[in-house]
Amino acid sequence: MGVQRKKKKRAKKKARATFSFNDERVLKIFGLIFLFLGIYLTVAFSSYLFTWKADQDKVLLHSWSMLFNSEVTVQNWLGRLGAIVSNGFFYWGFGIPSVLFIFLTVRFGLSLIRRESLQDYLRLFTQVILITCFLSVIFEFVLHSSHFSWGGALGNAAYLWLSSFVGRVGLGLLFLLICLASLTWFINPSLELTGENMGGFKRFLPNVDLPSIDYFTSFGQSTKETRSKKRNNKTTKENKEEGSFDFVVDGALPLTNDETSKPGAIPKTDKAEGSLNSDTMEFNLPTSLTKPKKPNVLDSSSAELEIAMPAAGQEEAVETTTPKVKEGEPPLETVVHGADYSEKVLPIQQENPDDLEPYDPTKDLSSYVHPTLELLEDYADMKVEVDRAELEANKTQIIDTLMNYKIQIIKIRATIGPTVTLYEIVPAPGIKISKIKNLEDDIALSLAALGIRIIAPIPGKGTIGIEVPNKKKQVVSFKEVIQSDKFQNAKMSLPIALGKTIANEVFVADLAKMPHLLIAGATGQGKSVGINTILMSLLYKKHPSQVKLVLIDPKKVELFPYAQLEKHFLGFLPDVDEPIITDTSKVINTLNSLTIEMDTRYDLLKKARARNIKEYNEKFTKRKLNPNNGHKFLPFIVLVIDEFADLIMTAGKEVELPIARIAQLARAVGIHMIIATQRPTTNIITGMIKANFPARISFKVTSQIDSRTILDAKGAEQLIGRGDMLLNVGSDIIRLQCAFVDTPEVEKAIDFISEQRGYSIPYHLPEVKGEEDLSKDGSNLKYSDLDPMFEDAAKLIVGSQHGSTSSIQRKLSLGYNRAGRIMDQMEMLNIVGPSMGSKPREVMIFSESELMTYLDHLKNR
């Protein structure tokens, strides 16, 4: 019995699954319904022309209620329903032009039966509706005095408004203009205005030479000529015996030559190991690929493969950062999103009155030497070779999968990256992009690979991208990235070398232009390595006087090696024991200190009449600003938080609010943030945080929800890990392979810097009154010692006459510790009484005006 029940359930599921709007039978049934609806309207409308006088009063009197009133009799051939429908179209609708709806109904039914594109029908529907509206107004304009509703209620309303607006004469001229414009649009008459037939005008324009030019046909051809050319081109294409299929391979990775004897394989070359540098591979396939009669069959073994090798004597690039492209194609760009990651270096001019030499901030550590490249590993033994067989197998599988779904393509191009190969395909005309995008899982299944990602379309290109992970992945070393010309010659304020793109190009960005960076990723996917890459980029490029690092590490084990840079690159509070901040209370004080530093810098910029830190430092180096007035050289400050989720869980709003304030305002004064978390959930990365971090990096995450939280788009859940990441700056998303720098390399570079002479006094942030400074009695308590939210909390307590710490915490969104400190301050100032256990405290001040008078006295004390 159980087996029979299961069979019945399966049969029911199959029966339900067979009903689908993609089924040809369903579309034909609906098409027949619309055809019969068109016949029904034809009969109803024809009857209305003869029976409208007898039926109109009854329809207007009873309206829709007459459908169920058998006592009402009508003369319409289709009964009460026919009378109501025809009256609705003719009397309340468009009048006589309503017959065009019969055409639309029949045409839609035929489109469903023939399975034609709905886009063409929608275009036709729009045109017919406009013609119907226009004709209804025309009928009312000509036959307005007739008893019959020639233009319907809608046409009559439009006619009355237009005639009152422009008058009957103006309305007639408007109709004439519309008719002439429509005639010109649809027929496109050839009005040849040449110099020969304008000879009469030359008598009045003796100095003007009118050339014999067809001013209309020079800009385009008539519709008939264009259609004729399209038919000729189509016939020419169909008469070709073979279709061509271009397969282009870009990239700097070498290809192995282990199967050169097979049909279609690449022949060996004179170069060592047959390596290719941005070569073009092109092969011809049978016509069945471009015009498949049997899309499930693809004989890829008969494809002939040709390679255009580099010219003789051409040097092969050892380290390719900008691969060559096929002739006629635009060059690839590394820095995208329309952002300009370069700054112009302004020449220093001697404009100071005393003709003093410009101020050089690096002179305090003039003997400082940047870390050398010898401290880094190049991982040359981990270079990989891309197998041609892998490329061709992936190409064949992609083509087969697309052809199985009747998707024709005319070109395929492969760009080899360090860990991912991008296959760009050009679909045949008429193929919908969404149809290819929905095949992501099918292509992944056919290639037996994880991390398949489809970009449809690729921004700035007329192609669709399919990213396929390489079986053998290349390690992108940090040494290889920073020794590239792109990083060495970067004229940026804060250059960071993130890694390589899919096109095998080094990607360098300017943190000062981002201006803040949010990093997310699951555990073990390369997040900490990415942070080390960013910090090492700054250490290798900038002088200690130009940038300061404020490092917050709640995990206490990720950033501790950088503590040796205490007198070189680090910035911290003067009263802390360790330069790397790990304690939550110290984190809050550090963030508040940075807000004070931000406000102080804005005051300096205001005095110097500078808009940003670049203009300010330029004026200071030219000695246009007097140090006796408080001016000084301002280094960039980069705040790095390694695990943001832990801070949000322990401190909440006390951390989020200063971070949001720094993110909103600190860009112009040179304070930038890098925040990392392994939990990209909405309660950690809130809307306030996301709104102020336009630049975001996502390593592999566990779910599509996390990907949308960090990037506002899916895709991060399909990454392959080990440094594979997506960078979102603006509207575009770039896939990068993060540069790998190991912990021993970081320690060697840090030891190299720490062994050099540093500043005698470290870079201290402004002091902030912490919790330990509040344990004083009220007589010595100053207004400046109070919490910034003290006044709001005091107004809340006095206004409600309810001295409760929990009410402050709840209504002002503060942590319990901070709300308790504010309540203790109120007790010191005798605003509330002492604690009474579980009962609310007694409020000693009874009105808000009394409270404000007391606070004003405290401010002036």
Side-chain angles (χ1 to χ4, degrees), residues 624-692:
K624 293 182 178 180
L625 304 176
N626 192 347
N628 295 328
N629 296 332
H631 292 292
K632 58 183 178 180
F633 184 83
L634 300 179
F636 285 93
I637 297 178
V638 178
L639 169 65
V640 180
I641 302 177
D642 185 46
E643 186 45 65
F644 184 62
D646 183 71
L647 296 182
I648 289 293
M649 292 175 62
T650 55
K653 294 289 184 180
E654 297 181 70
V655 170
E656 184 179 356
L657 292 178
I659 285 179
R661 188 162 182 262
I662 293 172
Q664 291 171 353
L665 301 175
R667 171 183 181 176
V669 293
I671 301 177
H672 306 278
M673 288 189 295
I674 300 173
I675 293 180
T677 180
Q678 63 181 6
R679 293 181 53 196
T681 55
T682 52
N683 60 336
I684 302 298
I685 303 176
T686 61
M688 184 181 298
I689 296 295
K690 287 178 62 176
N692 296 290

Side-chain angles (χ1 to χ4, degrees), residues 401-552:
T401 304
L402 296 177
M403 299 304 292
N404 288 339
Y405 292 91
K406 299 180 181 180
I407 298 176
Q408 306 171 16
I409 60 176
I410 59 178
K411 184 178 180 181
I412 184 168
R413 170 193 181 95
T415 303
I416 306 171
T419 57
V420 175
T421 297
L422 174 64
Y423 294 87
E424 299 180 52
I425 63 174
V426 179
I431 300 298
K432 293 183 178 179
I433 294 179
S434 59
K435 196 173 181 182
I436 301 177
K437 203 169 184 178
N438 293 333
L439 298 178
E440 196 167 50
D441 295 334
D442 299 278
I443 296 175
L445 178 63
S446 65
L447 296 176
L450 298 175
I452 299 293
R453 186 167 163 265
I454 294 181
I455 311 171
I458 297 178
K461 297 182 179 181
T463 59
I464 296 174
I466 302 176
E467 296 177 350
V468 181
N470 299 332
K471 293 181 180 179
K472 298 179 180 178
K473 300 172 180 59
Q474 179 191 15
V475 175
V476 178
S477 66
F478 182 68
K479 179 178 181 180
E480 179 184 3
V481 171
I482 66 168
Q483 72 180 0
S484 64
D485 294 337
K486 187 164 291 184
F487 182 79
Q488 294 293 332
N489 301 327
K491 304 299 181 182
M492 303 178 183
S493 299
L494 294 173
I496 52 176
L498 295 177
K500 283 189 175 184
T501 64
I502 290 182
N504 221 45
E505 297 178 338
V506 173
F507 188 89
V508 181
D510 190 356
L511 180 61
K513 296 289 183 67
M514 284 186 172
H516 309 291
L517 184 59
L518 185 61
I519 304 176
T523 303
Q525 303 303 322
K527 186 173 69 281
S528 297
V529 175
I531 294 177
N532 284 330
T533 299
I534 294 173
L535 295 177
M536 288 285 285
S537 299
L538 297 177
L539 296 183
Y540 266 84
K541 191 69 175 178
K542 308 304 290 185
H543 189 273
S545 63
Q546 298 172 333
V547 62
K548 298 297 178 183
L549 305 176
V550 180
L551 305 181
I552 297 176

Side-chain angles (χ1 to χ4, degrees), residues 240-258:
K240 288 186 177 181
E241 295 181 359
E242 288 187 347
S244 93
F245 223 88
D246 294 334
F247 186 60
V248 183
V249 176
D250 285 352
L253 298 179
L255 303 177
T256 59
N257 289 283
D258 52 354

Side-chain angles (χ1 to χ4, degrees), residues 341 514-519 692-697 727-730:
Y341 289 119
M514 284 186 172
H516 309 291
L517 184 59
L518 185 61
I519 304 176
N692 296 290
F693 283 78
R696 305 168 199 165
I697 288 178
L727 170 64
N728 184 359
V729 181

Side-chain angles (χ1 to χ4, degrees), residues 30 75 142 160 249 255 278 304 325 399 440 493 539 542 589 606 693 711 727 744 755 762 818:
F30 276 98
Q75 300 298 320
V142 177
L160 293 177
V249 176
L255 303 177
S278 306
E304 296 181 0
V325 296
I399 295 173
E440 196 167 50
S493 299
L539 296 183
K542 308 304 290 185
N589 292 340
K606 180 181 178 181
F693 283 78
L711 296 176
L727 170 64
E755 290 173 359
R818 187 178 181 184

